[in-house]
């Protein structure tokens, strides 16, 4: 594959739909780079929490981007997020950070400032980008666009199993309410709301496991390439 052949695969969807695991599996299979755009919003949210800022204050949050020192180091399984020189993988995964990310991500000025940073992840041989607006705003010319859906009930059950496996306590009804609240915030904001791009293939993963969804996406890519 030459440099000119490099392209973007955009994978968007609501939280807990499994798009992160799908993006990782597709990137590994194709040898592509990976952009976890949610991690960038989480890093910004974490910095805002640590500085005890008001997350709803757009000016305060956007000012953090003047000195936003983040990078991703190669880890054994997943890449390791580094904020101001510190490994913050554990803090980033917390529900509280995800929720705060969804709040800071509502600010249009924040989204505008993060555009170039995200686009900078595109390098040969190609990029798998996962988030909420990869196919609509960040990479509107992506060669492939997928929108991964799963019902709130199914996402709450998956999250419940993950937490129980980690020996943490959990309540399915609370998890589903949190998921629906985050969906509503991500969907109803004015700047780049969560919605499928017009040319996205919508994949309902409610009744499929990760291996089946990965196979569906990879075979769509391979079949399209064969006839292009
Ligand atoms: O994918 P995630 O759960 O790590 O994302 C955390 C929050 O960040 C999500 O609720 C909304 C926001 N986000 C966004 O607005 N746009 C993106 N491209 C990725 C994430």
């Amino acid at each position: 594959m030459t440099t000119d052949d490099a392209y973007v695969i955009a994978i968007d969807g609501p939280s807990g739909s499994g798009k992160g695991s799908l993006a990782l599996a597709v990137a590994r299979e194709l040898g592509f780079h990976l952009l976890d755009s949610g991690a960038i919003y989480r890093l910004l949210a974490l910095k805002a929490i640590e500085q005890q800022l008001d997350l709803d204050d757009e000016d305060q949050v956007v000012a953090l981007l003047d000195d936003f020192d983040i990078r991703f180091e190669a880890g054994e399984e997943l890449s390791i997020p580094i904020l101001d020189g510190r490994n913050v993988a554990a803090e980033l995964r917390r529900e509280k950070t995800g929720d705060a990310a969804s709040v800071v991500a509502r600010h249009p000025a924040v989204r505008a400032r993060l555009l170039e940073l995200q686009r900078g992840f595109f390098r040969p041989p190609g990029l798998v980008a996962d988030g909420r607006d990869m196919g609509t705003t960040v990479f509107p010319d992506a060669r492939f666009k997928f929108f991964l859906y799963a019902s709130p009930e199914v996402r709450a059950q998956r999250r419940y199993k993950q937490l129980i496996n980690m020996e943490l306590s959990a309540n399915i009804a609370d998890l589903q309410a949190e998921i629906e609240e985050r969906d509503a915030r991500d969907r109803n904001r004015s700047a780049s709301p969560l919605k499928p791009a017009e040319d996205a293939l919508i994949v309902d993963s409610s009744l499929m496991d990760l291996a089946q969804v990965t196979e569906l996406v990879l075979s769509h890519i391979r079949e399209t390439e064969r006839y292009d």
Side-chain angles (χ1 to χ4, degrees):
M1 185 179 278
T2 66
T3 310
D4 292 345
D5 292 330
Y7 60 81
V8 174
I9 300 169
I11 302 181
D12 290 303
S15 69
S17 58
K19 62 190 165 16
S21 309
L22 171 66
L24 184 64
V26 172
R28 282 211 176 126
E29 183 63 29
L30 301 178
F32 276 24
H33 299 281
L34 184 64
L35 165 61
D36 171 5
S37 62
I40 296 178
Y41 287 97
R42 283 172 187 254
L43 284 162
L44 181 63
L46 189 61
K47 196 168 165 114
I49 293 170
E50 287 178 355
Q51 297 199 7
Q52 301 185 339
L53 301 188
D54 174 1
L55 302 180
D56 286 313
D57 186 327
E58 180 161 23
D59 292 340
Q60 282 189 23
V61 176
V62 91
L64 291 178
L65 293 171
D66 293 338
D67 178 24
F68 192 41
D69 177 11
I70 64 164
R71 64 196 154 82
F72 296 92
E73 278 180 6
E76 261 179 41
E77 270 289 304
L78 301 168
S79 69
I80 303 166
I82 310 284
L83 174 65
D84 295 322
R86 283 176 299 135
N87 175 343
V88 290
E91 292 92 321
L92 225 59
R93 270 196 299 272
R94 284 190 198 132
E95 216 62 45
K96 181 183 166 202
T97 315
D99 222 49
S102 152
V103 177
V104 299
R106 275 187 325 198
H107 302 311
V110 167
R111 305 198 72 85
R113 285 275 299 270
L114 288 176
L115 270 181
E116 288 316 307
L117 175 73
Q118 295 175 85
R119 289 180 179 149
F121 279 75
F122 178 41
R123 288 188 301 278
L127 179 72
V128 180
D130 101 63
R132 305 290 187 289
D133 61 343
M134 297 297 102
T136 50
T137 306
V138 182
F139 299 108
D141 298 329
R143 172 127 178 240
F144 294 98
K145 298 180 185 179
F146 298 96
F147 190 89
L148 195 60
Y149 173 80
S151 69
E153 292 80 2
V154 166
R155 287 184 276 144
Q157 272 162 16
R158 287 180 187 161
R159 185 80 188 123
Y160 179 79
K161 279 192 197 140
Q162 279 171 354
L163 293 170
I164 296 299
N165 284 340
M166 292 192 287
E167 297 183 357
L168 296 168
S169 64
N171 172 300
I172 292 205
D174 290 349
L175 288 171
Q176 190 174 326
E178 280 162 24
I179 282 171
E180 285 173 348
E181 190 187 329
R182 177 110 72 94
D183 279 3
R185 200 186 296 129
D186 291 347
R187 243 185 228 130
N188 297 328
R189 66 177 177 230
S190 59
S192 298
L194 167 69
K195 67 165 190 212
E198 276 175 17
D199 48 352
L201 186 70
I202 299 181
V203 179
D204 185 349
S205 76
S206 300
L207 299 175
M208 285 192 270
D209 64 18
L210 174 63
Q212 290 169 316
V213 181
T214 307
E215 190 42 46
L216 188 149
V217 163
L218 285 171
S219 49
H220 175 77
I221 292 171
R222 289 184 177 128
E223 288 304 307
T224 308
E225 286 192 318
R226 184 175 304 168
Y227 293 106
D228 262 4

